[in-house]
Amino acid sequence: MATPLTIAELKDVARRRVPKMFFDYADSGAWTEGTYKANEADFAAIKLRQRVLVDMTNRSLESTMIGEKVSMPVALSPTGLTGMQHADGEILAAQAAEAAGVPFTLSTMSVCSIEDVAAHTTKPFWFQLYVMKDREFVKSLINRARAAGCSALVLTLDLQILGQRHKDIRNGLSTPPKFIPKHIWQVATRPKWAFEMLGTKRRSFGNIVGHAKGVGDLSSLSSWTAEQFDPRLSWDDVAWIKEQWGGKLILKGIMDADDAVKAAETGAEAIIVSNHGGRQLDGAASSISVLPEIVKAVGDRIEVHVDGGIRSGQDVLKALCLGAQGTYIGRPFLYGLGAYGKRGVTMALDIIRNELDVTMALCGKRDIRDVGPELLHHRLPVVATEPARPSQ
Ligand SMILES: Cc1cc2nc3c(=O)[nH]c(=O)nc-3n(C[C@H](O)[C@H](O)[C@H](O)COP(=O)(O)O)c2cc1C
C-alpha cells in the first residue's frame, strides 16, 4: 500500500496488522457507540472560514500546555494496553512524541512500566492516574511517577466503573491473549505482530503486576481491577491526590460546566474536556460540543484542554478556535503504532501537523496562538431543501 496520507489510512493498515481483539479494543465505544461516533461527526459539522490575500510566511504552531513548550498543542492521550497494539508500544510512542516535541501521557494500565518508559526517553512525560481503593498503592504510583521525573499528573475522573464495550466481551479480550482457538487464529494471521511480541518481555500490566499486593500474575489481575477501582472517588480525594503529588495536576473527564467550576477550585493546572473517547457514558454529548460552554464557565481561571474525535489537524484547529489551549489524540496515534510502530506514531503526528499548518494558513493566520472563533462559520449546516419555484 502507498504511504498513508491520513489518519483513516493509518487505521486501515493497523486493522490488517494488529490481532482483531486488540484492534477492536482501540476502535470501540460503550454500548451503541453513539458518543464515540458523535465525537467525530460533530467536528465535521464545524465549518472553517476561507480567507485570501493574507501574508502566509513565517508560520508557527508552537504553543504551551500547562506552561510546557510544545511544538504544536497536540498531546498523546493516555491509553491502556498500548503495548498490545505493537510490542513495547508505550516506549515507542513516548520516543516518537519526544522527537516531535509534544507531550506523551502514560496510562496507569500501560504494558510498559513508568520506570521502563523513563529509562528509554530523555525528557519528562506525563503520568495518568486511576484511583484504586488501596490508597497505599495509589501513593506508591504517585511516588514512582515523581521518581521517574514525570512533569504532570493526569487524574482520570470518569472511570470508576467500567463502561461496557460489546466488542471486548465478544472477543474475550485478555492480556496476553489466552490460547483459545479464536485467539490463536487472530495472532497467527498477524505474524509480524506475533514475532515482535515474542521478542519482548513486556506483555502484561507493567505498573501493576509485581507492584500491587496480591497480584503476582495476570490470572488474579482482572478480578483485582474490578474490585480495586474506587467507586467512591470524590472531590476530597482530588485534594488528597494533589497534596500527595505536589506538582502540576490535570483533571481528565470533565463534561459539565458545574463540574468544571469545581475542578477550577481545586487549583489544578488544567482540565481535559473528555468523555473518554466515547468509551464510558454512551449517550453523553460529544466533547467538542460542550467545549464552548466550559470555556465560558472557567476559561479565565484554568487551562482548558479537549480530547475525543480528533482525526485531523483541521479538528485540532477547530478545538483551538473554540477556546482549548491544548488537544489530545488517542486512537490516531494507536493506529499509527499498530500500523508501523514508532514510525507510525511519527506519521500520525506529521499528518496532523501538516494539516494544522496548511489549514491555519488558508484561514488567514500565521501563529497558532492567535486563532479564535473568527476562523469559524457561525452558520447552520446547509440543509438540503427543495429548490424554490418561481411564483406563478
Ligand atoms: C484503547 C484506549 C484505551 C484507553 N485507555 C485509557 C486509560 O487507560 N486512561 C485514560 O484516562 N483514558 C484512556 N482512554 C481514553 C483516552 O485517554 C482519550 O480520552 C480518548 O482516546 C480520546 O479520544 P480519541 O481516541 O477519539 O482521540 C483510552 C482510549 C482508548 C481508545
Side-chain angles (χ1 to χ4, degrees):
M1 181 183 166
T3 306
L5 298 176
T6 62
I7 299 299
E9 288 177 3
L10 276 177
K11 179 175 178 177
D12 287 341
V13 180
R15 192 192 305 274
R16 294 200 300 272
R17 300 213 168 176
V18 178
K20 183 174 187 308
M21 78 186 106
F22 296 120
F23 177 82
D24 281 356
Y25 170 66
D27 183 29
S28 60
W31 285 330
T32 69
E33 301 194 334
T35 297
Y36 174 26
K37 290 175 198 147
N39 275 350
E40 295 181 11
D42 286 358
F43 269 109
I46 301 170
K47 300 298 171 204
L48 298 160
R49 285 180 67 199
Q50 170 177 309
R51 303 299 306 275
V52 295
L53 304 181
V54 184
D55 183 359
M56 292 180 186
T57 57
N58 298 325
R59 295 188 300 280
S60 169
L61 298 181
E62 274 181 20
S63 186
T64 57
M65 288 172 76
I66 56 161
E68 293 184 13
K69 242 185 157 182
V70 290
S71 68
M72 62 175 170
V74 181
L76 301 195
S77 294
T79 53
L81 293 186
T82 302
M84 285 291 134
Q85 302 295 328
H86 189 284
D88 303 335
E90 289 89 357
I91 291 175
L92 301 183
Q95 289 174 336
E98 181 174 317
V102 299
F104 170 78
T105 319
L106 183 72
S107 164
T108 294
M109 303 310 285
S110 58
V111 172
C112 303
S113 68
I114 306 172
E115 292 77 11
D116 237 355
V117 175
H120 290 87
T121 49
T122 63
K123 294 202 187 114
F125 55 95
W126 298 350
F127 180 68
Q128 174 266 326
L129 182 70
Y130 278 132
V131 184
M132 286 94 184
K133 289 179 200 152
D134 180 351
R135 291 297 198 268
E136 285 308 307
F137 182 60
V138 173
K139 261 198 211 173
S140 83
L141 279 173
I142 292 175
N143 290 337
R144 288 168 61 197
R146 190 185 304 107
C150 293
S151 56
L153 190 73
V154 177
L155 176 62
T156 297
L157 306 175
D158 61 359
L159 196 143
Q160 294 325 112
I161 55 172
L162 197 67
Q164 180 169 311
R165 302 147 202 170
H166 295 322
K167 287 176 194 155
D168 293 350
I169 295 175
R170 303 254 184 273
N171 285 330
L173 177 76
S174 73
T175 308
K178 296 181 212 101
F179 284 95
I180 56 174
K182 183 163 71 174
H183 292 179
I184 293 172
W185 172 253
Q186 287 182 15
V187 170
T189 52
R190 300 292 184 275
K192 191 165 185 296
W193 180 95
F195 183 73
E196 282 163 346
M197 205 52 83
L198 280 175
T200 181
K201 300 181 300 295
R202 304 178 184 98
R203 290 196 291 261
S204 72
F205 293 97
N207 291 328
I208 294 171
V209 173
H211 292 279
K213 271 183 242 146
V215 186
D217 63 21
L218 277 165
S219 51
S220 53
L221 186 73
S222 48
S223 54
W224 182 85
T225 307
E227 284 161 17
Q228 275 298 314
F229 279 65
D230 187 354
R232 292 205 175 87
L233 188 70
S234 71
W235 289 105
D236 290 341
D237 296 309
V238 175
W240 179 78
I241 287 158
K242 187 168 187 303
E243 197 183 306
Q244 297 297 317
W245 169 243
K248 290 184 180 174
L249 181 68
I250 303 176
L251 300 178
K252 177 172 186 280
I254 301 287
M255 285 291 290
D256 184 278
D258 292 344
D259 286 342
V261 169
K262 287 192 185 132
E265 284 163 6
T266 65
E269 262 67 26
I271 56 171
I272 310 179
V273 175
S274 171
N275 51 34
H276 217 100
R279 298 163 75 79
Q280 285 295 100
L281 177 62
D282 187 37
S286 66
S287 27
I288 193 65
S289 70
V290 299
L291 175 67
E293 66 203 55
I294 291 181
V295 169
K296 192 167 166 221
V298 296
D300 55 346
R301 271 176 283 167
I302 189 168
E303 231 173 77
V304 180
H305 301 171
V306 68
D307 77 14
I310 292 173
R311 299 293 175 266
S312 69
Q314 295 215 323
D315 295 342
V316 172
L317 185 71
K318 290 170 183 176
L320 300 176
C321 289
L322 290 174
Q325 168 83 18
T327 66
Y328 298 72
I329 50 169
R331 296 175 183 92
F333 96 81
L334 292 178
Y335 297 145
L337 181 68
Y340 301 112
K342 179 173 161 182
R343 187 166 64 91
V345 178
T346 302
M347 274 181 180
L349 287 167
D350 284 348
I351 288 169
I352 285 180
R353 189 190 303 280
N354 182 47
E355 291 166 342
L356 177 59
D357 178 47
V358 171
T359 308
M360 177 179 76
L362 294 175
C363 288
K365 291 281 180 184
R366 298 196 292 182
D367 188 332
I368 203 68
R369 288 165 302 183
D370 265 1
V371 304
E374 70 282 2
L375 271 61
L376 307 177
H377 265 298
H378 297 284
R379 297 181 8 187
L380 292 173
V382 179
V383 180
T385 50
E386 288 278 305
R389 289 170 202 276
S391 52
Q392 292 182 345

